Structure formats: structure tokens, C-alpha cells
Amino acid sequence: MAEKMELNEIEVWDGNQAAAQALRQAQVDVVAAYPITPSTPIVEGYGAFVANGYVDGEFVMVESEHAAMSGCVGAAAAGGRVATATSSQGFALMVEVLYQASGMRLPIVLTVVNRALASPLNVRGDHGDMYLGRDSGWIQIDAFNAQEAYDLTLCAFKIGEDINVRLPVMVHQDGFVTSHTAQNINPLSDDEAYAFIGDYKGVDEMLDFSKAVTYGAQTEEDWHYEHKARQHRALMDSYTVIDRVFEAFEKKTGRKYKRLEEYMMEDAEVAIVALGSTVETAILAAKQLREEEGIKAGVIAPRSFRPFPFNEIREALAGVKAVAALDRSCPMGAMGTLYNEIAGVMASMPAEQRPLLTNFIYGLGGRDFSVAEAKRIFREQKGHADVGHITTEIQQFSGLRGPKLGFYEAKRS
């Protein structure tokens, strides 16, 4: 029996410690990991909890991140509650096995501390690794601060393990900005947290020596198509369980989460769409612009990056005139990933309701994104809205030093 840890009503944790505490309170059976900056303290924390008797689990140190996710797949297939953590290059090395985990419908929880992908080598945060996993069949949930990293990790177990979902879940947080910034956290007690998640209930198809089953069978063209279509359907349908878990968490804690978070969007004429810690910067900028300049600015933030909140975004944008999609990842020859997601939503809107849409690439490799820059972007959108067309480049690299680099020119009417 694991020993309980006495927690204060308010703890001072950074995002990594918050995630590690959530793994402890979930009483994870196995964490297989190969630590990588800036996610290392999550698995170090879990390992310390095991060593000190606070978890009846196993910490398995492996030789690579590929092996870490492989170990998680084996442990989950055997019926364990399983989790791990990674970032950047480690995430990239895991990618092959991410598809195995989702295809086998194993509810592993992966806490991803977002960090830039090399080369050049960089340990600071951007969203290149988050976007790299977008088609891997995992549910992806985004935390904007340390409190949310704790809350959403608890929710991730309850979502992924639901019998109507049975899919792995990633919980993302920004490297260093969230993972290493200490904040006041309101945790649940150990008993409350475990009661919320519940005992892990495997299914009859889990590996059992007395009942032989096969995981990861070869299908080729005869059944592969149907398998992937059903997996996609399960991911799309998981939104009902996500909503239900968020509602249950609100009843327990008073903290409300939605698959699409909206801020000041009731009367917004211009908006920013963003992910991660940038959301709080954009909210502050929008508030100040409303008070100081009367610009009706708003912010929308997909909490659930997969399944993507398509319908909710369409409704949120219905009255908006101009939108900036902020991508914290280099698109390498295309428009940004979040931009393309928003453009896909807008394609389903009546032409007269579609806002003008521009793309800002920002914050690569941990470059700071300021309130002043968010204000500039809002003002630029206001200019587009006033004249009825985009007057600047449709894609811009925000905060780039050196000579101006032209990318996609706006089509002017």
C-alpha cells in the first residue's frame, strides 16, 4: 500500500512538479522513461515517489525514448495504468511507437513538455513537437499554466481509460515558461484525486497467458482501411467523454475547462487564435486594448488540439471580422499548422461570415512573445477589418531580427 503524502491547500509547484504529483496521485503502475530536458523532472519526480514508497509502481529506466514508449505499450497491453514524459528530440524518436500505442487502443498518458526540434539544437519551448504528433491517433490536450498541467493530467487518465474511448492521451505544456515556472497550485488531496480518476479497469482483451490474444496484427489492404477509419471515429467521438470528464472535474474543484476556451468573444471583431502559455499573454493584451483603445479584441484557444474543436471554432468566429492564427512552429514551406486548421474550419462557413485570416509565426526556440507584440497583431487585424481586406503579408514571422523576409503576399482587392 502506497503511503499518502500530506499536501497543503496551496502548493508552490512548477509545471513539471505538478505533472509528477498527478502521476503519483493516479498511482501509475509503470513509468518507462528516458529523461530529456525540459521534461526530466517529471519522471525524476515519479522515480523519487516510487523510491520513497508513495507509489506502488515501477520506474523503468530504458535506453532511449523509442524504448520508453515501447515499454509503455507492453505494460499497458498487460493491463497496467501507464504514463511517461518527453520533449523535442525524444518525442521525435517516440513517434514510430506512438502510432503503435494508438492503433492498439492503449490508454497511455504522455506528458509532453514542448520544446523546439533540432537542428540547430535548442532546449527552449516551441510547438514543433506538439504538431509532430497531431496525426498519431492520440488525444492531445493543452495546458496554459502549471495549475492546468496538474488538472489536465488527472483528467487525461479518466478520459483515456473510459471504455468508450480507450485511446492514449498527451498533455502538453510549454517548455520552461510553464514547466519551470513556480506558481501557486490548488491540488486535490490524494484520496480526492484517486477517487476522481477511479480504479483502472482493463478489458478482457488485455494480454493474459491463459487467453492468447494478438496486438498489432498485420492487416494489409484487406482490413487496414477499416481499422484506421474506426480508430478515427473513436477519436472524433471522444469529445463527449472529454466534455463529461471536464464537467465532473468542475463539480469537484470549481475549475472549468472546455475543448475550446473563449475569452471576450461575445462581441469580438478581431481575434487571436493561440495555444499554450501565449494564450494568457494574448488575453492580457485584449483586455488592455479594450480599455485603452476600444478595440473589441478576443482570444480563442483550442484546449483539445485532437480531437480538434471544429464546430466550436466555427461558432466562435461567426461574428469576427479578422483573425490572426499564431503558430509557435516553423512551417517549412507552407502556412502554419494552426492556421491551416482554422482555414479548414472557415471553409465550412458561409462566405459572408468568413473573417480575414492571417498567419503569424512566433516564439521559435523560446523567443519571448510580449503583450506589446500581441497588441500590435490585434491592431493590424483591426486595420484589415476596417478596410475589408488584408493589407499586409498573409504570413509574417513575428519578432524576427535582421532584414525583412517576404513570404506570402496578401491578395489585395
Side-chain angles (χ1 to χ4, degrees):
M1 180 70 180
E3 182 180 342
K4 291 180 183 177
M5 179 177 287
E6 294 297 327
L7 296 177
N8 298 310
E9 185 175 336
I10 296 178
E11 296 281 350
V12 181
W13 294 338
D14 60 22
N16 280 331
Q17 177 72 352
Q21 290 283 359
L23 299 190
R24 178 187 65 79
Q25 290 184 321
Q27 287 295 302
V28 172
D29 296 310
V30 175
V31 168
Y34 189 86
I36 182 171
T37 302
S39 67
T40 298
I42 298 177
V43 294
E44 281 184 340
Y46 175 84
F49 294 142
V50 171
N52 291 320
Y54 291 117
V55 181
D56 289 332
E58 295 291 336
F59 176 64
V60 183
M61 185 70 177
V62 294
E63 68 274 14
S64 72
E65 290 87 349
H66 187 285
M69 185 51 61
S70 297
C72 289
V73 165
R81 175 172 283 165
V82 179
T84 189
T86 195
S87 302
S88 183
Q89 305 306 122
F91 185 91
L93 190 54
M94 275 187 181
V95 165
E96 178 186 358
V97 195
L98 296 181
Y99 286 82
Q100 306 294 339
S102 62
M104 296 179 190
R105 307 290 292 273
L106 301 173
I108 299 163
V109 171
L110 173 59
T111 54
V112 184
V113 181
N114 294 129
R115 170 189 145 186
L117 291 161
S119 173
L121 183 65
N122 181 289
V123 299
R124 301 288 168 176
D126 67 31
H127 295 158
D129 47 7
M130 179 194 295
Y131 290 166
L132 183 62
R134 70 186 186 276
D135 296 331
S136 62
W138 287 58
I139 294 170
Q140 290 181 279
I141 301 174
D142 194 26
F144 308 157
N145 55 49
Q147 178 72 67
E148 294 177 0
Y150 169 79
D151 293 348
L152 295 172
T153 302
L154 294 178
C155 290
F157 289 101
K158 194 171 181 67
I159 292 166
E161 292 173 7
D162 189 285
I163 195 64
N164 295 307
V165 177
R166 302 298 298 186
L167 285 169
V169 184
M170 298 181 203
V171 180
H172 295 270
Q173 59 174 292
D174 283 356
F176 290 99
V177 178
T178 302
S179 66
H180 285 65
T181 300
Q183 297 178 316
N184 287 348
I185 306 296
N186 293 286
L188 299 174
S189 70
D190 289 358
D191 288 341
E192 288 174 325
Y194 192 82
F196 171 73
I197 298 170
D199 293 334
Y200 180 65
K201 298 179 177 65
V203 294
D204 292 340
E205 289 78 15
M206 289 296 179
L207 293 177
D208 185 338
F209 288 123
S210 65
K211 296 182 294 182
V213 295
T214 298
Y215 268 82
Q218 190 169 353
T219 55
E220 299 306 333
E221 72 279 3
D222 49 358
W223 284 108
H224 185 84
Y225 189 8
E226 286 72 19
H227 181 97
K228 302 312 287 187
R230 291 190 66 179
Q231 185 183 339
H232 173 69
R233 181 76 266 170
L235 189 53
M236 295 294 284
D237 287 346
S238 67
Y239 72 87
T240 57
V241 174
I242 296 172
D243 290 345
R244 188 166 68 243
V245 171
F246 284 171
E247 289 170 6
F249 193 79
E250 182 185 7
K251 288 180 181 178
K252 179 170 283 292
T253 66
R255 297 193 287 272
K256 185 174 184 177
Y257 294 104
K258 297 186 294 183
R259 284 178 294 112
L260 179 71
E261 305 290 0
E262 301 179 45
Y263 308 91
M264 297 166 286
M265 289 299 296
E266 295 82 1
D267 63 343
E269 295 181 350
V270 296
I272 278 177
V273 187
L275 295 164
S277 57
T278 302
V279 173
E280 296 184 342
T281 303
I283 292 170
L284 181 57
K287 286 180 179 178
Q288 292 180 4
L289 283 176
R290 281 177 172 266
E291 295 170 359
E292 298 165 1
E293 303 177 30
I295 295 176
K296 294 180 179 178
V299 179
I300 64 174
R303 174 75 64 195
S304 162
F305 190 60
R306 289 291 184 272
F308 197 70
F310 188 95
N311 293 328
E312 290 78 5
I313 291 176
R314 181 172 55 194
E315 293 173 6
L317 293 180
V320 178
K321 296 179 181 178
V323 180
L326 273 56
D327 277 286
R328 199 165 198 163
S329 174
C330 191
M332 295 301 182
M335 303 301 286
T337 296
L338 188 57
Y339 173 95
N340 281 317
E341 299 282 1
I342 302 303
V345 171
M346 288 170 51
S348 71
M349 299 171 66
E352 64 276 9
Q353 290 185 5
R354 291 175 199 158
L356 301 167
L357 179 63
T358 52
N359 187 203
F360 288 84
I361 310 302
Y362 78 100
L364 303 187
R367 178 70 58 84
D368 187 39
F369 182 76
S370 66
V371 172
E373 179 63 4
K375 286 182 176 181
R376 185 192 73 79
I377 291 171
F378 274 125
R379 292 190 191 103
E380 187 174 294
Q381 304 318 300
K382 181 64 165 62
H384 299 335
D386 288 344
V387 299
H389 62 84
I390 296 172
T391 61
T392 62
E393 287 183 303
I394 197 169
Q395 183 184 71
Q396 302 175 43
F397 273 53
S398 170
L400 185 67
R401 295 198 300 263
K404 179 176 172 56
L405 300 175
F407 295 96
Y408 290 94
E409 290 290 338
K411 182 179 179 181
R412 293 175 172 83
S413 58

